[in-house]
Amino acid sequence: MELNRQPPPTRRFSTGERENAIDRTVPVLPPALEFDEHNYFDHNAPPEYLDGMTKQVQKFLDFHKHNRVVLVTSGGTTVPLENQTVRFIDNFSAGTRGATSAEYFLEQGYAVLFLHRQFSLLPYSRHYSHSTHCFLDYMDERDGSVVVDPKYQEEMLSVLRKYQAARTKNLLLLLPFTTINQYLHTLRAISVIMQPLESRALFYLAAAVSDFFIPPSRIPEHKIQSKGGGNKLVMDLDPVPKFLNRLVEKWAPSAMIISFKLETDPTILIFKAEQALERYSHQLVIGNLLQTRKTEVVFVGPGQNHDWLRLSDEQQADGIEIECMIIPAVVKLHSQWINRR
Ligand code: PAZ
């Protein structure tokens, strides 16, 4: 598969096509322009912790200035319905793709910035959290001490060694977010700090990012009242500007950028992935379907190039993870990207 930086699509100001919100087959919103960026970031305050987080990232990048660094985004963003948030809109993503991919990137020698939804799955600990077992099921008591149940020893030792190696070598930095606004501010700030890495920076955008939000001018301050249970709650959400275009053109112009596209209707997956690639002019879209995302994905690159990666029945039965195919393929493309610049 060839990688290309296509010329940016025809410029026009974005408009909120709210009537298109439900029909996923209509064209996606136009990419955000500079105007949209200012409009959004000037009116939606950054999270209070952002300065501290960017200092951490800067320190991490100073340590890895000659290495390849991947920013993996993972998990779903929330959309608060109140400023003092009691209720919010969320999505299904548990962060499996992101956390699993991060482990395989670490195996390939990358330093990993892991921008993830707080409390979603994390690299390494994911093997023992959110599973059907409680983590205490992995433990046993021996002579008054807590030990790992012998039947899990071998596997847990292997995971523990990889985790400790990543920590000792300072290869993994965990960066949590919760809301769509925190995610966007953090993504922008980090990508700008990553600019000196040039082509050694890789963006692997696996997070399930909200498409709609309530702007600060309309969000209620306090908990929405149920008024005795008789009233309907009618929501009026604005589209979240499509900042991928800004990432490609301004925030990280030399980096390789890979986005994911999730659909539920197999007949539109490739079309939507191609459409995203054309609109945002980045290097690769990885398409996946909600139902089969753990066993197959499609790489959609420039020139209507489609490569399906699929686990065989046997691989599935053996517990092989699709990310062990995705990441080496991505790393190969990233090497080509670096060598061409
Ligand atoms: O977190 P998870 O492993 O359950 O799901 C991963 C995913 C489907 C969210 C990811 O592969 C993806 O497609 N992210 C982009 C979603 C989108 O905005 O279209």
Side-chain angles (χ1 to χ4, degrees):
M1 179 174 286
E2 288 290 292
L3 290 178
N4 228 333
R5 209 177 261 287
Q6 310 266 358
T10 318
R11 287 170 166 268
R12 59 183 164 121
F13 283 97
S14 55
T15 54
E17 293 162 299
R18 249 177 274 174
E19 65 279 13
N20 293 341
I22 304 301
D23 183 353
R24 305 273 287 172
T25 63
V26 299
V28 289
L29 278 175
L33 301 177
E34 196 175 343
F35 163 85
D36 302 296
E37 181 180 338
H38 286 304
N39 197 29
Y40 181 87
F41 289 99
D42 291 351
H43 292 103
N44 290 273
E48 279 171 15
Y49 60 73
L50 189 60
D51 277 351
M53 190 178 269
T54 51
K55 284 192 186 100
Q56 265 186 297
V57 173
Q58 187 62 67
K59 207 166 148 200
F60 185 80
L61 295 179
D62 289 345
F63 189 83
H64 292 293
K65 54 175 170 275
H66 302 300
N67 301 345
R68 293 188 188 192
V69 179
V70 60
L71 175 77
V72 175
T73 71
S74 183
T77 59
T78 67
V79 176
L81 300 187
E82 300 119 345
N83 203 22
Q84 297 189 34
T85 309
V86 174
R87 300 186 183 90
F88 52 86
I89 302 175
D90 203 351
N91 65 54
F92 72 96
S93 173
T96 313
R97 172 83 73 228
T100 311
S101 300
E103 287 181 22
Y104 288 98
F105 277 120
L106 288 161
E107 243 169 58
Q108 297 272 343
Y110 279 69
V112 177
L113 291 165
F114 190 64
L115 180 57
H116 65 283
R117 164 73 177 278
Q118 190 173 34
F119 308 129
S120 66
L121 292 179
L122 295 176
Y124 305 116
S125 71
R126 74 179 171 100
H127 298 273
Y128 306 102
S129 57
H130 289 252
S131 75
T132 40
H133 288 312
C134 161
F135 83 95
L136 292 172
D137 291 337
Y138 296 94
M139 307 297 171
D140 218 345
E141 187 181 335
R142 266 320 113 72
D143 305 326
S145 297
V146 178
V147 293
V148 172
D149 185 323
K151 63 175 176 286
Y152 301 115
Q153 282 281 353
E154 197 182 334
E155 189 203 305
M156 202 181 267
L157 182 62
S158 153
V159 174
L160 181 69
R161 281 183 177 152
K162 288 181 194 166
Y163 168 71
Q164 288 181 338
R167 290 203 54 161
T168 314
K169 295 179 191 157
N170 187 29
L171 283 167
L172 176 63
L173 185 60
L174 304 180
L175 305 165
F177 64 79
T178 301
T179 66
I180 174 68
N181 186 48
Q182 291 170 344
Y183 169 84
L184 291 174
H185 271 281
T186 313
L187 177 65
R188 182 171 77 149
I190 296 177
S191 47
V192 171
I193 310 176
M194 287 173 75
Q195 278 181 9
L197 291 166
E198 300 191 328
S199 60
R200 278 176 294 110
L202 173 63
F203 287 77
Y204 182 86
L205 307 173
V209 179
S210 322
D211 288 327
F212 302 96
F213 78 122
I214 305 182
S217 58
R218 290 210 310 273
I219 194 162
E221 176 62 23
H222 292 288
K223 182 185 170 201
I224 299 167
Q225 296 298 307
S226 67
K227 306 222 173 81
N231 284 1
K232 287 184 179 174
L233 176 61
V234 178
M235 284 185 274
D236 181 15
L237 306 180
D238 277 6
V240 173
K242 300 289 181 192
F243 286 122
L244 187 48
N245 189 52
R246 301 301 293 161
L247 179 70
V248 175
E249 284 190 17
K250 290 281 176 229
W251 306 346
S254 305
M256 180 174 175
I257 296 170
I258 299 173
S259 69
F260 276 77
K261 172 60 72 184
L262 174 76
E263 291 298 340
T264 52
D265 177 354
T267 64
I268 64 168
L269 179 64
I270 302 268
F271 166 72
K272 298 288 283 195
E274 283 177 346
Q275 191 178 50
L277 198 68
E278 194 192 319
R279 277 174 181 254
Y280 305 118
S281 315
H282 53 310
Q283 285 69 56
L284 181 70
V285 177
I286 303 181
N288 54 177
L289 293 166
L290 184 67
Q291 311 84 314
T292 56
R293 67 191 189 281
K294 295 196 174 158
T295 55
E296 62 176 15
V297 299
V298 58
F299 278 30
V300 177
Q304 302 197 312
N305 202 330
H306 313 146
D307 284 335
W308 282 94
L309 304 184
R310 279 197 185 92
L311 292 177
S312 64
D313 291 346
E314 200 179 17
Q315 287 172 317
Q316 289 180 43
D318 289 347
I320 309 276
E321 296 169 314
I322 185 88
E323 289 76 10
C324 83
M325 297 167 91
I326 299 175
I327 305 309
V330 162
V331 170
K332 201 166 152 201
L333 292 172
H334 190 207
S335 299
Q336 290 170 8
W337 178 255
I338 292 171
N339 292 337
R340 279 220 218 125
R341 305 196 57 105

